[in-house]
Amino acid sequence: MSEYCGTETTTTGAAPASATETAGQAPVAGPPFAACVLCQEPTEYPESHKGITLCPVCEWREAERTACSG
Protein backbone atom coordinates (compact mmCIF):
# COMPACT_ATOMS: atom_id res chain seq x y z
CA MET A 1 0.00 0.00 0.00
CA SER A 2 1.31 3.42 -0.91
CA GLU A 3 1.36 6.35 1.49
CA TYR A 4 0.60 8.83 -1.31
CA CYS A 5 -2.99 9.00 -2.56
CA GLY A 6 -3.52 7.86 -6.15
CA THR A 7 -0.27 5.93 -6.65
CA GLU A 8 -1.59 2.44 -6.00
CA THR A 9 -1.54 0.09 -8.95
CA THR A 10 -4.61 -1.88 -9.91
CA THR A 11 -4.58 -5.62 -10.48
CA THR A 12 -6.17 -5.28 -13.92
CA GLY A 13 -3.72 -2.63 -15.07
CA ALA A 14 -6.57 -0.22 -15.88
CA ALA A 15 -6.27 3.46 -15.16
CA PRO A 16 -7.87 4.60 -11.90
CA ALA A 17 -11.37 6.06 -12.14
CA SER A 18 -11.75 9.82 -12.22
CA ALA A 19 -13.08 11.72 -9.23
CA THR A 20 -16.51 12.13 -10.80
CA GLU A 21 -16.76 8.42 -11.52
CA THR A 22 -15.75 7.44 -7.99
CA ALA A 23 -18.23 9.87 -6.45
CA GLY A 24 -21.04 8.43 -8.57
CA GLN A 25 -21.77 11.76 -10.22
CA ALA A 26 -22.49 12.27 -13.90
CA PRO A 27 -20.30 14.74 -15.83
CA VAL A 28 -21.56 18.31 -15.70
CA ALA A 29 -23.92 18.96 -18.57
CA GLY A 30 -25.28 22.30 -19.57
CA PRO A 31 -24.77 25.13 -21.97
CA PRO A 32 -21.49 25.38 -23.81
CA PHE A 33 -19.01 26.94 -21.43
CA ALA A 34 -16.71 29.82 -22.36
CA ALA A 35 -12.98 29.17 -22.61
CA CYS A 36 -10.61 30.87 -20.19
CA VAL A 37 -8.88 33.81 -21.88
CA LEU A 38 -5.53 32.80 -20.35
CA CYS A 39 -5.32 29.01 -20.53
CA GLN A 40 -8.29 28.04 -22.77
CA GLU A 41 -9.71 25.63 -20.15
CA PRO A 42 -13.52 25.59 -19.74
CA THR A 43 -14.88 28.10 -17.24
CA GLU A 44 -17.96 28.15 -15.02
CA TYR A 45 -19.56 30.74 -17.30
CA PRO A 46 -21.70 30.18 -20.42
CA GLU A 47 -20.35 31.36 -23.77
CA SER A 48 -22.86 34.24 -23.67
CA HIS A 49 -21.19 35.73 -20.54
CA LYS A 50 -19.88 39.22 -21.21
CA GLY A 51 -16.47 40.34 -20.07
CA ILE A 52 -13.25 38.48 -19.32
CA THR A 53 -13.88 34.85 -18.49
CA LEU A 54 -11.34 33.01 -16.36
CA CYS A 55 -11.28 29.42 -15.15
CA PRO A 56 -11.25 28.94 -11.35
CA VAL A 57 -7.47 28.41 -11.30
CA CYS A 58 -6.72 31.57 -13.28
CA GLU A 59 -9.26 33.54 -11.20
CA TRP A 60 -7.42 32.45 -8.04
CA ARG A 61 -4.02 33.39 -9.50
CA GLU A 62 -5.34 36.77 -10.66
CA ALA A 63 -6.74 37.44 -7.18
CA GLU A 64 -3.38 36.56 -5.61
CA ARG A 65 -1.55 38.81 -8.07
CA THR A 66 -3.79 41.82 -7.50
CA ALA A 67 -4.26 41.40 -3.73
CA CYS A 68 -2.85 44.02 -1.43
CA SER A 69 0.44 42.85 0.03
CA GLY A 70 0.51 45.38 2.79
Side-chain angles (χ1 to χ4, degrees):
M1 179 176 220
S2 174
E3 291 181 21
Y4 187 74
C5 181
T7 59
E8 294 181 18
T9 57
T10 58
T11 57
T12 60
S18 69
T20 57
E21 291 173 352
T22 57
Q25 299 172 350
V28 177
F33 294 102
C36 176
V37 297
L38 299 176
C39 68
Q40 302 306 312
E41 291 293 320
T43 65
E44 300 172 340
Y45 306 104
E47 287 183 347
S48 61
H49 182 76
K50 296 189 188 285
I52 296 174
T53 54
L54 299 173
C55 69
V57 173
C58 291
E59 281 184 2
W60 182 266
R61 289 180 181 158
E62 184 69 14
E64 285 181 328
R65 188 181 71 77
T66 60
C68 178
S69 63

